[in-house]
Amino acid sequence: ETGVTQTPRHLVMGMTNKKSLKCEQHLGHNAMYWYKQSAKKPLELMFVYNFKEQTENNSVPSRFSPECPNSSHLFLHLHTLQPEDSALYLCASSQASGGIGYNEQFFGPGTRLTVL
Amino acid sequence: AQKITQTQPGMFVQEKEAVTLDCTYDTSDQSYGLFWYKQPSSGEMIFLIYQGSYDEQNATEGRYSLNFQKARKSANLVISASQLGDSAMYFCAMREVYNNAGNMLTFGGGTRLMVKP
């Protein structure tokens, strides 16, 4: 595997289900991100992890729970979601750094989530 | 106020012609970086080009170039010799220096480019 992988690619769940999204990066990066992409809205940053520590929670509801067990893996645990949570969830990774350096984020293919 | 504005929700371009996708941004930081990403229908965001706020020359990467006008706070993407495979969503994003620990990006709403044969 190369780059950033995400599983599953598609997920349909009911509002009472509990599921998890998985992201894995094979790039040796030390920062990982979850984004939400809804129809007709800009990409929204949800969580940032630097060196396995969460450094940003962008006012995300508690029904989304991230977990970063090591610098290569990132999970998003989902429970009691709402239909408006249906979206494409993108994971990304990069080198963490200060300053303005050229540290582009590499994205995975996303998980298309549908909440019924 | 939006930090990144892309005013063209959709654009058509004839194959082999050049096209400019607009992006304006708002920041009070002196140090920042601007990125363009391409998102085909498969969903993956593909990095295209980067411009640092202190870079004196406009960035270029193959058929992609960035028309950076700092005083106007604009960072337009120019795609030369459009190809059918260029049909996709294009996102402009900005990275502001963030507590020396992060690499947060703020994205614009995107422009859907459609290349006509």
Side-chain angles (χ1 to χ4, degrees), chain B residues 47-85:
Chain B
F47 167 74
L48 295 178
I49 196 167
Y50 168 83
Q51 180 86 41
S53 58
Y54 290 117
D55 294 341
E56 294 186 351
Q57 291 191 334
N58 287 341
T60 60
E61 287 287 347
R63 295 187 299 111
Y64 304 108
S65 61
L66 203 151
N67 183 1
F68 182 46
Q69 298 189 42
K70 193 171 182 178
R72 293 187 176 185
K73 294 188 175 178
S74 74
N76 298 338
L77 176 70
V78 180
I79 305 175
S80 62
S82 298
Q83 302 172 357
L84 295 179

Side-chain angles (χ1 to χ4, degrees), chain A residues 9-50:
Chain A
R9 294 293 309 276
H10 300 272
L11 178 62
V12 179
M13 59 187 288
M15 289 190 286
T16 58
N17 292 156
K18 290 185 180 180
K19 295 286 184 184
S20 296
L21 309 185
K22 179 183 176 182
C23 175
E24 184 173 1
Q25 59 95 1
H26 310 268
L27 300 167
H29 290 158
N30 45 36
M32 297 188 77
Y33 314 79
W34 278 117
Y35 288 89
K36 176 183 179 182
Q37 187 176 29
S38 306
K40 301 181 181 179
K41 290 180 73 175
L43 210 63
E44 301 172 78
L45 179 68
M46 300 174 73
F47 301 104
V48 180
Y49 278 82
N50 288 286

Side-chain angles (χ1 to χ4, degrees), chain B residues 24-108:
Chain B
T24 58
Y25 59 92
D26 183 27
T27 181
S28 56
D29 279 5
Q30 296 302 308
S31 295
Y32 52 90
L34 297 156
F35 300 76
W36 277 92
Y37 282 85
K38 171 184 178 182
Q39 187 180 39
S41 57
S42 59
E44 185 173 352
M45 300 281 279
I46 302 167
F47 167 74
L48 295 178
I49 196 167
Y50 168 83
Q51 180 86 41
S53 58
Y54 290 117
D55 294 341
E56 294 186 351
Q57 291 191 334
N58 287 341
T60 60
E61 287 287 347
R63 295 187 299 111
Y64 304 108
S65 61
L66 203 151
N67 183 1
F68 182 46
Q69 298 189 42
K70 193 171 182 178
R72 293 187 176 185
K73 294 188 175 178
S74 74
N76 298 338
L77 176 70
V78 180
I79 305 175
S80 62
S82 298
Q83 302 172 357
L84 295 179
D86 294 334
S87 295
M89 285 290 290
Y90 288 81
F91 292 93
C92 179
M94 177 171 63
R95 176 188 172 220
E96 297 165 292
V97 175
Y98 174 65
N99 293 333
N100 292 320
N103 189 20
M104 291 173 60
L105 293 179
T106 303
F107 282 83

Side-chain angles (χ1 to χ4, degrees), chain A residues 27-79:
Chain A
L27 300 167
H29 290 158
N30 45 36
M32 297 188 77
Y33 314 79
W34 278 117
Y35 288 89
K36 176 183 179 182
Q37 187 176 29
S38 306
K40 301 181 181 179
K41 290 180 73 175
L43 210 63
E44 301 172 78
L45 179 68
M46 300 174 73
F47 301 104
V48 180
Y49 278 82
N50 288 286
F51 299 97
K52 301 185 298 178
E53 297 295 322
Q54 185 177 248
T55 56
E56 179 73 13
N57 175 339
N58 201 18
S59 302
V60 181
S62 59
R63 58 185 183 270
F64 295 91
S65 174
E67 178 190 1
C68 188
N70 54 61
S71 58
S72 298
H73 293 85
L74 185 64
F75 295 89
L76 188 62
H77 303 300
L78 316 171
H79 62 97

